[in-house]
Amino acid sequence: MKGKLNTLLALCVTTPLMLASALAIAKPLTIGMSFQEMNNPYFVTMQEALKAAAGSMGATVIEADARHDVSKQINDIEDMLQKKVDILLINPADTNGVENAVNEAKKAGVVVVAIDAQAKGPIDSFVGSKNYDAGLQAGEFLAKALGGKGKVAILDGIPVVPIIERVKGFEDAMKKYPGIKIVNRQNGKQERDTALSVTENMLQAAPDLAGIFSVNDTGALGALAAIQANGADVKLVSVDGQPEAVKEIEKAGSPFIATSAQFPRDMVRLGLGVAMAKHWGSQVPAAVPLDVKLITKENASGFSW
């Protein structure tokens, strides 16, 4: 996998250079990116990387925040198509719900690459993390930290493939430990305030809860606040690797013990590189899976996206 990733990273760097002469005589590219949300450092980091990469090529970026509302996301994409984007990078608020928007983009001759979350429809490629692995390795770390026994809960999220895969990975990890039982699963909507409230309910429903898996770090930080306010002895694991979460994991005695880190800068750069290659007539892979890295107290120091 490392060799393939290096090749793909090279594509992101070399594609613009190889096409420099073509870009010099062609009109500047217009790139649209529709985010599922922007109230999250993960997507802000992705946004910054996209702007930097596009700016280096003289491309224009049109972006929109769906705010977890698939209807708004569809309207946002329709607006981008009206503005004649050449490339659409889509980070779906709902995997199935964006299908019509994808169809319309393809009818308009736009290259469509799904970023981070899979999108239904005739996309040209999907670039995202190995989300099943993220849930699996976080789950295995939690199980070992609990000594293979205890009650655990899942702080779920929106209905997109990455979230579903993370939960499946976590559930499969739990199946390896007969002494661990999943007793609750609720939707924290990947939002800090909602996750805080949901976790409070979980702790009330199961005072002997031993562990929680959150599908993302923003939700996990809300869960952490609830755990600390309650004084409960609950261990917390998550997915993303955002800076605030990593700092919490570094703290001695923190309930937050691990996160499966993603790499949003690499992800959006790869997505853009793949989209540009397709736009200029190259064959591209249907999917580009990216490895994740488990961050614990032992390796948290110095880690960043």
Side-chain angles (χ1 to χ4, degrees):
M1 174 60 199
K2 186 174 181 181
K4 291 181 180 179
L5 178 57
N6 287 339
T7 299
L8 288 163
L9 283 169
L11 171 67
C12 293
V13 175
T14 60
T15 296
L17 297 175
M18 291 168 62
L19 299 171
S21 59
L23 284 169
I25 61 174
K27 72 179 182 66
L29 289 175
T30 301
I31 302 161
M33 178 144 192
S34 175
F35 291 91
Q36 63 177 254
E37 65 162 320
M38 288 303 301
N39 188 29
N40 185 326
Y42 176 80
F43 294 113
V44 172
T45 298
M46 191 177 288
Q47 176 194 43
E48 291 170 351
L50 172 63
K51 285 183 175 180
S56 69
M57 300 179 293
T60 298
V61 176
I62 300 171
E63 60 193 66
D65 177 3
R67 302 173 191 164
H68 286 175
D69 182 342
V70 69
S71 296
K72 183 180 184 304
Q73 186 161 52
I74 291 169
N75 290 334
D76 290 340
I77 291 171
E78 289 176 352
D79 182 61
M80 291 178 185
L81 297 180
Q82 289 292 322
K83 293 177 180 177
K84 306 296 183 183
V85 296
D86 301 292
I87 289 169
L88 173 64
L89 304 179
I90 179 171
N91 168 236
D94 184 304
T95 293
N96 295 318
V98 298
E99 183 177 11
N100 287 340
V102 172
N103 285 330
E104 290 303 311
K106 293 307 297 175
K107 286 179 185 177
V110 174
V111 172
V112 182
V113 175
I115 305 289
D116 182 66
Q118 184 62 274
K120 192 171 182 181
I123 62 172
D124 293 291
S125 188
F126 164 62
V127 179
S129 298
K130 295 179 180 179
N131 286 287
Y132 176 86
D133 291 357
L136 185 73
Q137 67 183 17
E140 290 179 339
F141 189 82
L142 176 63
K144 291 173 183 176
L146 296 177
K149 58 184 179 181
K151 296 178 180 179
V152 300
I154 297 171
L155 193 57
D156 210 342
I158 63 175
V160 290
V161 171
I163 301 303
I164 294 167
E165 290 181 344
R166 291 172 198 178
V167 171
K168 187 176 187 305
F170 177 79
E171 290 175 332
D172 285 352
M174 296 304 97
K175 290 175 184 176
K176 301 177 184 179
Y177 297 88
I180 294 180
K181 182 179 180 181
I182 299 173
V183 297
N184 205 337
R185 176 176 172 177
Q186 295 188 43
N187 190 350
K189 298 183 179 179
Q190 297 160 240
E191 299 170 352
R192 190 183 297 228
D193 291 345
T194 304
L196 189 156
S197 178
V198 167
T199 303
E200 288 174 340
N201 294 335
M202 287 179 170
L203 296 173
Q204 289 175 3
D208 55 346
L209 194 67
I212 294 175
F213 168 68
S214 172
V215 295
N216 81 329
D217 282 346
T218 299
L221 291 166
L224 177 65
I227 291 167
Q228 291 174 328
N230 182 281
D233 183 15
V234 176
K235 290 180 170 56
L236 176 66
V237 296
S238 182
V239 177
D240 271 344
Q242 70 163 260
E244 188 178 353
V246 173
K247 287 180 181 178
E248 289 293 342
I249 290 168
E250 283 188 85
K251 294 178 181 178
S254 174
F256 204 161
I257 61 172
T259 182
S260 292
Q262 304 187 85
F263 297 89
R265 293 185 192 277
D266 290 347
M267 191 183 298
V268 78
R269 287 168 181 157
L270 279 168
L272 178 57
V274 168
M276 288 184 62
K278 179 67 178 180
H279 177 76
W280 292 107
S282 297
Q283 294 295 315
V284 298
V288 182
L290 302 183
D291 289 331
V292 292
K293 179 179 181 178
L294 188 69
I295 303 300
T296 68
K297 192 175 187 303
E298 283 65 37
N299 65 350
S301 179
F303 175 82
S304 70
W305 285 330

